[in-house]
Amino acid sequence: MITIKRKQIDEMEKFYRISLVNSLIGFKPVNLLGSCNIDGSPNLSIISSAFHLGANPPLIGLVMRPQREHNDTLKNIQATGQYTLNNVLPDWYKQAHQTSASYGSGVSEFEKCNFKELYTDGFKAPFVRESTVRIGLELREIMDVPLNGSTIVIGEIVQILLDDLIIEEDGTVDHVKAGSMAVAGLDRYFIPEFLGRLSYAKPGIKVEEINK
């Protein structure tokens, strides 16, 4: 067994430490975040920090790293109050990864990485046409984290655009059918595999596998 203490983490080479800490908690959902500035210029960035925050109201949170001067994503969200999350598929995950490159402010990653924009009436931010699960959000709260300079963005779901046959009878989104990918760390991509669905856990009752 390997034991790593806090002091050892501090002494690690920078990129080794980043890789270790980023991959430590395992698989995370990976999405493309679409936004635009007040002039309508689109922006696209890959993120793996989105998390479910509640269903009533329907909220999704995400963590954004300390902002660089040329990083348009948070500026766009603050300026327009709208943004999208779009799942990443195996056919074009390399293009999605490329959106993490440090393009200059005002440069469209949609264009540079060969993605098509999709717009809906009354919603400013672009969706990714190639995705199968697309979520439109409106900004509800921004929380700064002084501990490391990151920012938590909380948005309310106002639109959901899904390909056919992805929602199951009970409302669950089937991300295997959708082709959604996952990521561990910064650059290791995975295709999830369905293992089983289990019954609601209650004290003293054996957990059973149930039909999907």
Side-chain angles (χ1 to χ4, degrees), residues 49-68:
S49 63
F51 57 93
H52 165 79
L53 196 56
N56 187 24
L59 301 175
I60 292 178
L62 58 92
V63 180
M64 306 197 72
R65 294 180 297 174
Q67 294 299 295
R68 295 168 289 183

Side-chain angles (χ1 to χ4, degrees), residues 88-135:
V88 173
L89 275 61
D91 288 346
W92 41 263
Y93 77 100
K94 293 179 182 178
Q95 293 167 241
H97 183 79
Q98 182 62 27
T99 65
S100 65
S102 296
Y103 293 103
S105 180
V107 174
S108 171
E109 289 83 1
F110 277 95
E111 179 181 346
K112 293 295 183 181
C113 302
N114 297 312
F115 288 106
K116 295 178 181 178
E117 302 157 41
L118 174 65
Y119 292 95
T120 60
D121 291 340
F123 200 78
K124 304 180 186 72
F127 295 90
V128 175
R129 185 175 293 275
E130 291 85 351
S131 293
T132 57
V133 178
R134 312 169 192 89
I135 307 167

Side-chain angles (χ1 to χ4, degrees), residues 87-90 92 130-134 162-167 173-181:
N87 65 337
V88 173
L89 275 61
W92 41 263
E130 291 85 351
S131 293
T132 57
V133 178
R134 312 169 192 89
L162 299 171
D163 277 16
D164 294 338
L165 305 178
I166 288 177
I167 301 182
V173 175
D174 188 331
H175 280 281
V176 174
K177 284 184 180 178
S180 302
M181 298 188 69

